[in-house]
Amino acid sequence: MMFSFEFLIRILPDLMRGLIVTIEATFGGFALALVVGLLLALGRRCGVKPLRLFCDGYIALMRCTPLLVQLYFVFYVLPSYGIRFPALATGILCLGLHIGAYIAEVYRAGIEGVPEGQWEAARALGLKSYPLWTRVVLPQALPPMIPPLGNFLIGLFKETPLLAAITVVDVFGAANNVAGLTYRYNEPYTAVAVILLTVSLVAAHFVRKLERRFTSAKR
């Protein structure tokens, strides 16, 4: 079947609507993952043993079970117990909780990368917890975190097609719908490949700029 640019232009609005859903799910899930990861990282450094064990168990559970299984459980099993979320909200929630377990390790590595002497010097100066973290720890821990966090953002963008399993129509789901209705596959899937590649390259470019900015500021 010949590639038709005319057909491609006709289906672009449907693909763009799907792309908006993809971006919403990606950034919503990533924002939640940043918060979840930070809470887990701090919880693992806490002196309360039950909290540390809970955080360790949560990370192990999320990292050892597939995201698709988690999506099915939240969307199809929990409603049986009266817990129900809209499809897109379920996708954002599962993406955030799942990726947050990985981001916790990024936070942990960044925080532990701050030399112990910096902690001791800050405490010797009498710094309380808030200025200790905002003025000493985070300015040194954040720059090494940016590349892996950027990789997780781009990876999360490419995980959103899994949300089709819970009826969320992202850009890939929109292409599937077009292909199923028209039996034309070249145009929708080629367009999706180009769209995903373009957005990923743009995101990678901004991550590199952010990394250079923080690195130069550190110097």
Side-chain angles (χ1 to χ4, degrees):
M1 186 177 293
M2 295 292 293
F3 190 94
S4 171
F5 285 98
E6 181 183 351
F7 179 72
L8 175 61
I9 292 172
R10 286 210 312 270
I11 66 174
L12 270 180
D14 292 330
L15 299 181
M16 289 300 103
R17 283 191 289 270
L19 178 61
I20 291 172
V21 174
T22 296
I23 293 173
E24 289 175 346
T26 299
F27 284 97
F30 189 68
L32 178 59
L34 290 175
V35 176
V36 170
L38 180 61
L39 294 176
L40 290 171
L42 295 178
R44 297 180 77 183
R45 296 180 59 86
C46 174
V48 181
K49 187 175 180 180
L51 181 57
R52 290 202 312 270
L53 292 176
F54 170 80
C55 292
D56 289 339
Y58 176 90
I59 291 172
L61 175 66
M62 287 295 168
R63 294 178 67 175
C64 295
T65 54
L67 175 59
L68 187 59
V69 172
Q70 296 166 15
L71 287 167
Y72 271 109
F73 182 82
V74 174
F75 192 71
Y76 293 109
V77 177
L78 289 186
S80 303
Y81 299 93
I83 303 174
R84 187 183 303 274
F85 302 100
L88 182 57
T90 299
I92 292 173
L93 178 66
C94 289
L95 289 172
L97 295 178
H98 182 81
I99 300 300
Y102 292 89
I103 287 181
E105 291 297 299
V106 176
Y107 283 128
R108 180 192 61 79
I111 293 170
E112 292 183 356
V114 178
E116 186 63 29
Q118 297 287 325
W119 296 82
E120 295 173 356
R123 294 190 183 103
L125 291 172
L127 290 183
K128 302 297 183 182
S129 294
Y130 182 77
L132 169 65
W133 282 92
T134 57
R135 298 183 182 180
V136 178
V137 177
L138 290 180
Q140 298 180 73
L142 189 57
M145 293 182 194
I146 292 176
L149 289 177
N151 289 337
F152 277 118
L153 174 61
I154 296 169
L156 190 60
F157 179 73
K158 293 182 287 188
E159 292 284 349
T160 55
L162 291 176
L163 302 187
I166 58 171
T167 72
V168 175
V169 181
D170 70 331
V171 63
F172 188 76
N176 280 335
N177 290 344
V178 170
L181 291 172
T182 64
Y183 297 100
R184 298 186 68 99
Y185 302 95
N186 292 341
E187 295 87 354
Y189 291 130
T190 300
V192 166
V194 172
I195 289 170
L196 293 177
L197 177 61
T198 301
V199 175
S200 297
L201 289 175
V202 170
H205 172 71
F206 279 106
V207 168
R208 285 195 297 271
K209 286 187 66 175
L210 191 62
E211 181 185 0
R212 287 196 296 268
R213 180 176 179 180
F214 273 93
T215 302
S216 61
K218 182 180 178 182
R219 292 174 183 172

